[in-house]
Structure formats: C-alpha cells, structure tokens
C-alpha cells in the first residue's frame, strides 16, 4: 500500500504525538508510526515534573484543561542534605515561574485523545520501520503492518522514536557526533497509592540519593539510588520503604505514608547527545536525539521544547516557504538541550554517592550545599535553570 503525507513522524511517545497535534493546529498533515500499541505506550511510567514554559505551551495547544485540573503547582523543589536544614529552591521567587507535578502518562493520554478526536492518523504496531532517501527531496518511510508492506511518501521525517529508535541510526555514522556519560548507579522507583509528602524533594544521604515526588493526592512516586547490578527481586516493598526513610531527615521520613507498590522498576542513568539533530529531511526530536539523567526531570521538558522549535520551523516552511527556522532548528534545539544536560549532570553529581567517592569529594559536595543554602544568588542561578530556560524567538 502507498500513502502520502507532509510529515512522517516516527514514534508515538509525547514528542511524536505533540508534534502531530501542533502540526494539525498549523494545518499540516502528518502520520505517526508507532511500534507498540497505544495501551503499551500508556503503561510506561516516566517522570512527572513540568516547567512553566511546557505548561504554557500545552495550554496554548488546547491541552491545558486536564493539566490545570489535576496538576499540582509548586514553588520549586526542595533539596535536603542529611541532618542540615532543608533548602527550598524557589523557582517562583527566583525565576517568577512555578513548577507543575503532572505525570507524562496523563499528557500522553490527552495527546491520544485530541489526535483521535481530530481524526489524526496514528498507526500502532508499525513494524520494521525504515527510512529512505532522507538526503533527497522526496523521502519515504517503509514499514510492515498486519503482514502488509507499506510505503509512506512525505516531505519531511520527524524522528521522535526515543533513544532506541531507528531514526538516529539512519543517519550515516560519519555525520553524527555523539557525547555520552554513563553513571555508575541506577534509580529504583516505585509508585504507590498512598498520599504523597506533597513536594518534590531531592535527598542526599551517606547511604545514597533519594527522591520524593507525586502524581496526585493519592499517588506517590519515590526513588532511591541503587547499584547497577541491583535486582528488583531483592527489593520487596518493606525493604524499599525502610531504605527510603533512612535517606530522608526524620521530619520528612515520618511524613512518608507507606503501602503496597503498584509499580517498581530500575532505570540506569545516562547523559547522551547526538549532534546535529538534522540530516537532510530528517529532524530528530526528544529522546531520539538526547537523554538526560532524571535528576532535574528535564527529559519530557526537552522533548516539548524540541517539538516547539520543530513545529514552528515546519509551519513556516509550508505556509511561507521560509526555511530559516528549519535551517537553525538543530543549533537552536541543542543550545537548550546542552543547558539541561549540564544541569542534570551537575545535580546528579552533587546528590548521588559515587562508588569511588572519597571523603574529600563528600566534603566538597557538602560545602556546595552549604554555599547554596547561604547564598540567595547561588539559589537564584540553580532555580533559573531548574525552572527551564526560555524558548528562543
Ligand atoms: N519504529 C516506530 N516507533 C518506535 C521505534 C521504531 N523503530 N522505536 C521506538 N519507537 C517508539 C517507542 O515505542 C516510543 O513509543 O517511539 C516512542 C518514543 O517515545 P519516548 O521514548 O517516550 O520518547 P519521546 O517521545 O522523545 O519522549 C521523551 O520520554 O523517555 C522519556 O524522559 C523522557 O520524558 C521524556 C520523554
Ligand atoms: C517523578 O516525579 O517521577 C520525578 C520527579 C523529579 C525528578 C525525576 C522524576 O527529577
């Protein structure tokens, strides 16, 4: 079967779906090719903190209603350090922007809802997706669906297929440069139907990092730093709660309401950037081009800012024949990406106990926390970055 569209979007995660929706608002046709089923995509549990800029963009795209109804607004986040006083990193005070707790799953559900309402084309279980002629004027994507081979011709391809997708790998290796850091630990996360502590709290403790977060008034999300060879089976709920509470100061630990976990998983931590984010008529967005460790919760926010730049560029091309934004897409997106890569790397280093960390490094880190605690200017610098840098005009 032969099909044609203006933009072929590989991947139906938040980046691909949001791009498809925003292109639709701009009068541009797209087809989303997703390898998994919708049910599978919606089962994945990911981070849940949105920058004010992401919230504004989602509202402007008509996706604000559920966000405003269910999202939880915070003045910023807390950092707690062993037995020292907790530090509020106030994005509201220092950057004039609050933060939102709202799960990626809820956003993806909303995106599916509006794409389906608007008659959007999302092909689930698209198998064996291959990109062709991306360096020419008439690119194509082939894939298998329900045993049938299909060809989708298009003007542009958006590679929104995450870190393990096919898009980035379709660029000749000699034309992409990658930058990478793997961290020597992972995060063991659980979701539980218990009332959350109510704030996003990053904790550094001699036993390792921990994080308290939330989805809604009856859904809590917690993480602890774990070794890379940890096995989930070694972490029954009781052991997890016990370890988590030890890593928070007593005043916070006593507020943690425990209960059975409804999800438990281990994720490795990695920083990764591929440059450039364009090859011919292929444009990468979201995790397909970059990964950040979850410390700082920037992954989803970066996917959203990439999509903002990319939809603007594509709309300018189709409406006005102006390619200025297409040509600057990669540079513009990468400036924001590196800002977030740097912040999440810095927070990851500060808050985790590295296996080879010696007493000297631990003291340096404690001193960095003390400096943050004492200096409103240092807090302002961190808050500005945590709040998210503005999108470029
Ligand atoms: N063909 C079609 N689809 C594919 C392929 C492929 N070969 N490979 C991967 N996909 C799909 C995946 O099944 C997934 O649904 O692409 C989608 C990519 O979605 P995400 O991994 O969620 O990436 P993205 O949309 O960029 O969103 C970034 O997700 O990982 C988090 O922290 C990250 O919050 C950030 C957000
Ligand atoms: C989450 O709520 O899942 C979360 C919050 C903050 C982070 C990472 C994850 O930095």
């Amino acid at each position: 079967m032969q099909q044609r569209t203006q933009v072929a979007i590989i991947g139906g995660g938040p980046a691909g779906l949001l791009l498809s929706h925003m292109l639709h608002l701009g009068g541009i046709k797209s087809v989303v090719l997703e390898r998994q089923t919708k049910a599978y995509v919606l089962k994945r549990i990911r981070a849940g903190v949105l920058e004010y800029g992401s919230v504004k963009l989602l509202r402007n795209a008509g996706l604000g209603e559920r966000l405003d109804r269910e999202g939880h607004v915070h003045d910023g986040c807390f950092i707690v350090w062993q037995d020292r006083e907790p530090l509020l990193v106030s994005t509201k005070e220092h950057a004039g922007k609050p933060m939102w707790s709202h799960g990626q799953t809820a956003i993806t559900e909303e995106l599916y809802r509006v794409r389906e309402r608007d008659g959007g084309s999302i092909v689930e279980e698209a198998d064996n997706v291959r990109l062709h002629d991306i360096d020419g004027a008439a690119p194509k994507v082939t894939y298998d669906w329900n045993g049938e081979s299909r060809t989708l011709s298009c003007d542009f391809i958006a590679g929104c297929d995450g870190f393990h997708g096919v898009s980035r790998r379709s660029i000749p290796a000699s034309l992409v440069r990658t930058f990478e850091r793997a961290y020597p630990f992972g995060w063991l996360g659980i979701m539980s139907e218990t009332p959350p502590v109510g704030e996003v709290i990053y904790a550094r403790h001699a036993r390792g990092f921990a994080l308290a977060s939330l989805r809604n008034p009856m859904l809590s999300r917690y993480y602890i730093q774990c070794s890379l060879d940890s096995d989930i089976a070694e972490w029954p709920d009781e052991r997890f709660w016990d370890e988590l509470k030890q890593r928070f100061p007593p005043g916070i630990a006593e507020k943690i309401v425990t209960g059975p976990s409804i999800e438990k998983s281990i994720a490795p931590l990695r920083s990764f950037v591929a440059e450039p984010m364009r090859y011919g008529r292929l444009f990468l967005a979201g995790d397909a081009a970059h990964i950040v460790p979850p410390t700082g919760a920037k992954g989803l926010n970066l996917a959203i800012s990439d999509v903002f730049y990319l939809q603007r560029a594509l709309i300018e091309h189709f409406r006005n024949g102006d390619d200025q934004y297409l040509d600057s897409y990669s540079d513009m997106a990468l400036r924001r990406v590196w800002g977030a890569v740097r912040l999440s790397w810095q927070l990851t280093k500060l808050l985790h106990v590295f296996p080879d960390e010696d007493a000297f490094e631990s003291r340096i880190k404690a001193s960095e926390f003390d400096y943050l605690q004492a200096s409103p200017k240092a807090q302002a610098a961190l808050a500005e970055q945590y709040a998210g840098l503005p999108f470029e005009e």
Side-chain angles (χ1 to χ4, degrees), residues 57-72:
L57 178 143
L58 293 171
R59 281 182 182 152
N60 287 340
L63 297 160
E65 200 204 312
R66 180 166 175 194
L67 177 63
D68 287 318
R69 198 175 59 240
E70 294 179 9
H72 188 103

Side-chain angles (χ1 to χ4, degrees), residues 232-369:
I232 283 257
E234 294 163 7
W235 285 96
D237 291 355
E238 218 164 280
R239 180 173 175 212
F240 179 90
W241 291 119
D242 179 54
E243 184 64 38
L244 180 77
K245 286 184 167 198
Q246 290 193 60
R247 296 185 188 190
F248 282 99
I252 295 172
E254 72 197 18
K255 289 192 194 142
I256 296 175
V257 182
T258 63
S261 64
I262 57 168
E263 195 264 353
K264 194 184 282 162
S265 54
I266 294 180
L269 271 71
R270 175 204 314 271
S271 301
F272 173 88
V273 183
E275 293 186 356
M277 288 168 61
R278 171 187 190 171
Y279 171 63
R281 288 190 165 235
L282 166 67
F283 292 82
L284 303 178
D287 279 15
H290 41 75
I291 295 285
V292 286
T295 337
K298 289 288 166 242
L300 176 58
N301 292 291
L302 280 184
I304 291 175
S305 60
D306 286 354
V307 167
F308 168 75
Y309 291 137
L310 186 52
Q311 59 86 34
R312 178 174 69 180
L314 290 166
I315 291 173
E316 275 299 303
H317 168 90
F318 285 112
R319 270 206 196 143
N320 304 320
D322 182 350
D323 284 357
Q324 177 203 319
Y325 281 130
L326 276 181
D327 292 337
S328 57
Y329 169 72
S330 177
D331 288 345
M332 227 186 237
L334 282 167
R335 276 193 285 276
R336 210 167 180 283
V337 166
W338 275 111
V341 169
R342 197 188 65 71
L343 173 71
S344 21
W345 166 82
Q346 182 196 336
L347 284 176
T348 301
K349 277 197 313 178
L350 177 68
L351 297 171
H352 292 78
V353 178
F354 282 64
D356 60 354
E357 189 171 307
D358 60 14
F360 177 85
E361 274 167 288
S362 303
R363 287 286 198 282
I364 292 280
K365 290 179 181 182
S367 163
E368 188 172 338
F369 178 79

Side-chain angles (χ1 to χ4, degrees), residues 187-209:
W187 278 18
L188 168 60
I190 72 161
M191 194 75 101
S192 87
E193 288 172 323
T194 49
V197 175
E199 297 290 346
V200 176
I201 310 174
Y202 297 90
R204 151 97 191 192
H205 188 276
R207 298 181 69 88
F209 167 85

Side-chain angles (χ1 to χ4, degrees), residues 3-10 29-31 131-134 136-142 151-158 281-282 318:
Q3 299 164 286
R4 178 162 173 89
T5 191
Q6 288 172 292
V7 183
I9 299 176
I10 321 295
K29 295 201 180 324
S30 67
V31 172
L131 285 56
H132 309 273
D133 306 327
I134 29 188
K140 282 196 292 286
V141 181
T142 54
T151 301
L152 175 62
S153 317
C154 55
D155 298 301
F156 294 99
I157 302 173
R281 288 190 165 235
L282 166 67
F318 285 112

